[in-house]
Amino acid sequence: MPPKVYIILLNYKIWKDTIECLESLYKLDYPNYQVIVVDNPTKPANDSLVHIRQWAEGSLSVDFPQNALSYLSSPSIQKPISFQYFTQQDIEEKKAQGNGSSNLILIQAQENKGFAKGNNIALDYCMQQADFEYVWILNNDTVVEKDSLKALVEYYEVHKSTGLGILGGKVRYYQQPDTLQCAAGATYNKWLAHSRQIGNGQKDIGQFDNQDFKFDLVIGACTFVSRNFIEKVGFLGEDYFLYFEEQDWAERGKRKGFHLGYTHKAIIYHKEGSTVGGNQLAVNSINALSDFYYARSKVIFTKKFHKGLCLMTVYLSFIFILLNRVRRKQFNRIPMLLKILFNPKRMYEDS
């Protein structure tokens, strides 16, 4: 039997996106995997897991937009889908033993503590399962080509002896399926605490179908790692709430002797920003919450790993960030961003 893979989706509000992703995942041609959905709760509650359970049982039908990618999620897979349900407390108390036969694991988080914490609940569950070998962390607003998981496993199996840590794939925009969001991930400028996604906005004509390019992190929308990597490096860093979790994992992995990898044969399509708002193809669409946490996380990451002169230049870069908000007439964001400089641990709701 091929290595067992757990696929993690973190749901927040947009349960229809999660179901569309699940429909595509259950068309994968890889024979040995289970899907875990962790629900980060909302206030007020929107009953996301209720809807996902109803879909799995076959009592809820969900229609998706008809577009060039409809073949990835349609026709709908046969229901019911067997599932197990656990709470965060079950995971933490080591009471969540998978039966190995359920296709879907549903986990309810107690509260929304961000991207890393939500995924870490699922990673904790994975580490408690004897059959766990690999994990594929996907954004819930993605759909995948059916051979993508097989490509990831095959690449990792061939290269794991070289110290491969985090493996990425090719991420295209859902709304523009011939256009790259990125190949693997991004380069990172530590002096400005700024990442630049590889190939972002370019038509995909195969220009990144090899690994002869430099990248410093693998995008969190499509991240594939092994049990061995997690045992040596640990879970995702929970310092950030949103953004920079990828940089943190990559940096910690590098310091443990791991390197990054990329296979162009694993292709996913990402809606980007459907949960928190905004995307790189429309900069002015980035909402205040995303703006706040990106700026906050760059300060936290730099303090954690670089400090010194790097931290000074990152602070100076806020001058240009603030001038940009003036140019965009986003005057109400200036006090919010200034507060980060004095207290980067501040949360968005406190600003």
Side-chain angles (χ1 to χ4, degrees):
M1 179 68 73
K4 176 66 171 287
V5 181
Y6 285 88
I7 303 172
I8 299 174
L9 305 179
L10 181 62
N11 179 81
Y12 179 66
K13 293 183 180 179
I14 316 296
W15 55 269
K16 287 186 178 180
D17 280 352
T18 300
I19 290 175
E20 185 177 7
C21 182
L22 287 167
E23 288 281 2
S24 76
L25 288 175
Y26 288 120
K27 293 175 175 59
L28 288 166
D29 61 8
Y30 188 78
N32 193 19
Y33 67 96
Q34 284 180 287
V35 184
I36 304 171
V37 175
V38 178
D39 180 50
N40 264 349
T42 62
K43 293 181 181 180
N46 75 341
D47 297 326
S48 283
L49 277 195
V50 173
H51 296 303
I52 295 169
R53 289 178 70 158
Q54 290 172 340
W55 166 82
E57 292 165 345
S59 61
L60 175 65
S61 178
V62 181
D63 295 323
F64 308 120
Q66 293 300 303
N67 54 41
L69 299 178
S70 294
Y71 70 97
L72 295 176
S73 54
S74 298
S76 181
I77 62 169
Q78 187 174 354
K79 313 294 188 309
I81 298 168
S82 59
F83 66 86
Q84 289 181 277
Y85 171 82
F86 301 110
T87 65
Q88 180 179 339
Q89 186 174 356
D90 293 330
I91 310 299
E92 292 173 348
E93 295 179 357
K94 307 293 189 286
K95 295 179 179 178
Q97 186 56 48
N99 59 25
S101 60
S102 296
N103 293 316
L104 179 62
I105 309 296
L106 301 176
I107 302 174
Q108 181 63 66
Q110 292 172 351
E111 59 181 311
N112 179 14
K113 289 194 171 182
F115 177 85
K117 179 61 178 179
N119 280 291
N120 283 346
I121 294 169
L123 289 174
D124 191 4
Y125 171 84
C126 292
M127 294 297 288
Q128 296 176 39
Q129 311 309 309
D131 62 355
F132 166 49
E133 295 186 64
Y134 291 110
V135 63
W136 189 15
I137 299 175
L138 282 171
N139 275 22
N140 71 313
D141 59 342
T142 59
V143 291
V144 306
E145 293 285 356
K146 69 177 183 178
D147 58 351
S148 52
L149 179 54
K150 182 168 69 175
L152 290 164
V153 174
E154 288 178 350
Y155 186 96
Y156 212 113
E157 285 287 286
V158 169
H159 295 88
K160 63 183 179 182
S161 62
T162 68
L164 177 59
I166 307 175
L167 176 62
K170 183 183 289 187
V171 183
R172 295 174 180 162
Y173 283 109
Y174 179 94
Q175 295 85 351
Q176 299 179 34
D178 62 346
T179 301
L180 289 168
Q181 180 182 347
C182 68
T187 57
Y188 182 71
N189 182 331
K190 68 180 182 179
W191 301 104
L192 299 175
H194 180 73
S195 59
R196 183 180 297 275
Q197 292 185 345
I198 307 294
N200 181 254
Q202 297 181 24
K203 298 292 184 185
D204 182 12
I205 56 173
Q207 66 270 45
F208 297 104
D209 287 1
N210 58 65
Q211 201 177 319
D212 293 334
F213 57 90
K214 176 185 178 294
F215 59 103
D216 300 308
L217 61 104
V218 169
I219 187 173
C222 175
T223 299
F224 190 86
V225 301
S226 67
R227 183 182 196 118
N228 177 58
F229 177 84
I230 295 171
E231 287 174 342
K232 290 183 168 58
V233 177
F235 292 165
L236 288 160
E238 296 179 12
D239 313 69
Y240 307 97
F241 193 82
L242 277 177
Y243 307 117
F244 276 74
E245 301 91 351
E246 307 104 312
Q247 284 95 324
D248 186 290
W249 228 11
E251 184 65 29
R252 285 159 50 212
K254 183 174 71 173
R255 295 183 183 201
K256 292 285 187 178
F258 290 97
H259 64 83
L260 308 178
Y262 163 67
T263 173
H264 69 279
K265 295 180 181 179
I267 300 174
I268 75 163
Y269 302 88
H270 186 204
K271 295 174 185 176
E272 195 192 22
S274 66
T275 298
V276 297
N279 66 74
Q280 294 197 60
L281 292 181
V283 173
N284 286 330
S285 73
I286 297 172
N287 66 19
L289 181 143
S290 296
D291 208 5
F292 173 84
Y293 278 115
Y294 189 83
R296 173 185 185 267
S297 293
K298 68 163 59 184
V299 173
I300 292 173
F301 178 83
T302 305
K303 282 190 167 186
K304 184 175 180 179
F305 291 108
H306 298 300
K307 300 181 182 178
L309 187 57
C310 277
L311 185 59
M312 184 184 302
T313 58
V314 168
Y315 276 134
L316 287 172
S317 73
F318 268 72
I319 296 171
F320 300 98
I321 294 172
L322 296 171
L323 288 173
N324 242 331
R325 301 308 173 268
V326 171
R327 182 179 60 83
R328 296 177 193 166
K329 296 182 168 50
Q330 296 170 331
F331 304 112
N332 60 323
R333 298 190 187 181
I334 293 173
M336 173 188 80
L337 293 169
L338 282 171
K339 289 175 183 177
I340 293 170
L341 297 176
F342 299 101
N343 182 12
K345 295 292 185 180
R346 172 190 299 273
M347 300 298 283
Y348 176 73
E349 55 268 25
D350 299 326
S351 297

